[in-house]
Amino acid sequence: MNWPGIIEAYRQFLPVSDKTPVVTLEEGGTPLLPAPRLAAHIGAEIDLYLKYEGVNPTGSFKDRGMTLAISKAKEEGAEKVICASTGNTSASAAAYSVRGGMKAYVLIPKGKISLGKLAQALMHRATILEVAGNFDEALSLVTEVSKTYPITLVNSINPFRLQGQKTAAFEVCDRLSEAPTHHFLPVGNAGNITAYWMGYKEYLKNGKISHLPKMMGFQAAGAAPIVLGKVVAEPKTIASAIRIGNPAGWKTAQEAALESQGKIDMVTDEEIIAAYRLIAELEGVFCEPASAAGVAGVIKLHQQGYFKKNDQVVCTLTGHGLKDADFCLKTSAKEKETGIVKDKKDLLQALGF
Ligand SMILES: *Cc1c(COP(=O)(O)O)cnc(C)c1O
């Protein structure tokens, strides 16, 4: 069966009607991959799964929210959309705007987003506006403007974004025929953890699952306002997609953790990079650095003896590694020393024959 995109797949759970023009790139329907080597490597007797959101059309989970946000904007007759972005929202907004025949304006922190993401916004001909400040400053600027001018905000404070993103929780449950015991994911602006929690609760209410997972959100240590309980004026982390000091979804993320008896915790950049590499080396999955924060959280908590045997643990890998290939090459100095082959003798030696 052809996957129709998340709006058609989950229409009955979404705020759409027959009049809503569906703007889709057939996002969603992403793999839920068992990760037994990774679990064995860290010595955890858990069923570990990776929800690989990097295979969405623009390479991140943002597409789930964007298909709905853009479809609803189109339904309301919008001609322009705007967002602030650490990169993936702008890539997604740019692509879906083209698809819907709208014009996208994206504000990004100057010099702070990965080349891959910038290239996507460029190729889809979004107007890219660099802001001298950070993401948080860019977000308050676009929020203010969209309140008074005829331009639709497509950041995750647009409620349709979260409605679309909750479908990832549905997919996890549909595949496992139940909710997992734990759901780990990175937390930046805290929209996604809010969306997953909404999705799981809706599935419980509809009798699709019999229990809820604990929601386990992980911030980067240098950008961990929720963990520290205060705004971080200058968030610092290599994980650019979660380099956010004053998340819009602060309260709802805390509620998700509290209601589910999960937690919002943090991991260092070193822990994020270690997890990022392990996922690629052991499971054949290449995600971007920020995406590895959830797996880094699993490793951290396992070392504290947190899990019970046979816990079912799902980690969302939020974006594709190719978005930030630069980062991987910069941090792989040793592996870059590839051998030079001049003749057959060199080749055979390299092959170990
Ligand atoms: C947007 C994004 C995040 C953070 O998600 P929030 O909803 O802002 O918490 C994490 N990883 C990647 C790759 C992202 O693009």
Side-chain angles (χ1 to χ4, degrees), residues 108-338:
I108 57 172
K110 189 170 165 55
K112 297 265 176 62
I113 82 166
S114 79
L115 276 183
K117 298 173 189 177
L118 192 58
Q120 289 179 288
L122 275 170
M123 284 301 285
H124 298 306
R125 290 192 138 280
T127 297
I128 300 168
L129 303 162
E130 292 192 316
V131 180
N134 58 29
F135 170 83
D136 302 283
E137 290 159 313
L139 182 59
S140 56
L141 209 57
V142 297
T143 307
E144 201 183 313
V145 168
S146 66
K147 273 186 191 143
T148 30
Y149 292 88
I151 188 162
T152 304
L153 183 67
V154 293
N155 278 103
S156 59
I157 45 183
N158 175 326
F160 298 124
R161 278 277 310 276
L162 300 192
Q163 287 291 324
Q165 285 170 216
K166 76 184 178 186
T167 59
F170 298 165
E171 288 177 20
V172 169
C173 299
D174 288 346
R175 273 292 290 280
L176 298 177
S177 306
E178 183 50 277
T181 57
H182 299 78
H183 195 116
F184 281 68
L185 74 171
V187 171
N189 212 25
N192 213 27
I193 187 169
T194 306
Y196 269 96
W197 184 232
M198 204 156 73
Y200 282 122
K201 284 197 295 191
E202 255 175 64
Y203 248 29
L204 182 73
K205 212 171 82 192
N206 281 274
K208 298 261 191 185
I209 52 176
S210 66
H211 68 85
L212 293 166
K214 293 184 186 343
M215 297 305 301
M216 313 293 287
F218 280 79
Q219 301 193 293
I226 303 178
V227 181
L228 303 174
K230 58 172 197 286
V231 170
V232 176
E234 284 179 44
K236 287 196 183 68
T237 167
I238 51 93
S240 57
I242 53 172
R243 191 185 291 139
I244 293 175
N246 188 12
W250 190 319
K251 266 186 71 183
T252 47
Q254 273 183 318
E255 281 164 19
L258 202 69
E259 288 174 28
S260 72
Q261 297 172 299
K263 60 171 78 187
I264 310 284
D265 197 347
M266 61 186 180
V267 280
T268 64
D269 278 5
E270 289 69 32
E271 290 170 317
I272 290 173
I273 294 168
Y276 162 75
R277 303 185 69 86
L278 281 178
I279 299 162
E281 289 168 13
L282 297 172
E283 297 295 351
V285 176
F286 188 20
C287 66
E288 64 173 285
S291 302
V295 172
V298 169
I299 297 172
K300 175 178 171 174
L301 292 197
H302 169 66
Q303 286 164 352
Q304 298 171 359
Y306 175 81
F307 294 107
K308 287 203 284 289
K309 202 174 167 182
N310 300 331
D311 274 347
Q312 280 198 312
V313 179
V314 173
C315 293
T316 298
L317 301 181
T318 45
H320 203 292
L322 288 174
K323 294 212 175 231
D324 212 348
D326 232 34
F327 176 82
C328 116
L329 293 176
K330 268 187 288 192
T331 55
S332 308
K334 195 163 64 112
E335 290 83 346
K336 262 197 301 186
E337 287 169 23
T338 46

Side-chain angles (χ1 to χ4, degrees), residues 43-81:
E45 288 182 277
I46 56 175
D47 290 334
L48 183 61
Y49 296 90
L50 307 173
K51 181 67 173 156
Y52 189 24
E53 291 287 274
V55 299
N56 274 297
T58 78
S60 86
F61 74 84
K62 299 296 198 299
D63 295 344
R64 291 180 186 276
M66 206 56 73
T67 180
L68 194 61
I70 296 291
S71 296
K72 294 302 282 187
K74 194 172 170 66
E75 183 176 355
E76 286 150 21
E79 288 166 8
K80 297 178 174 179
V81 303

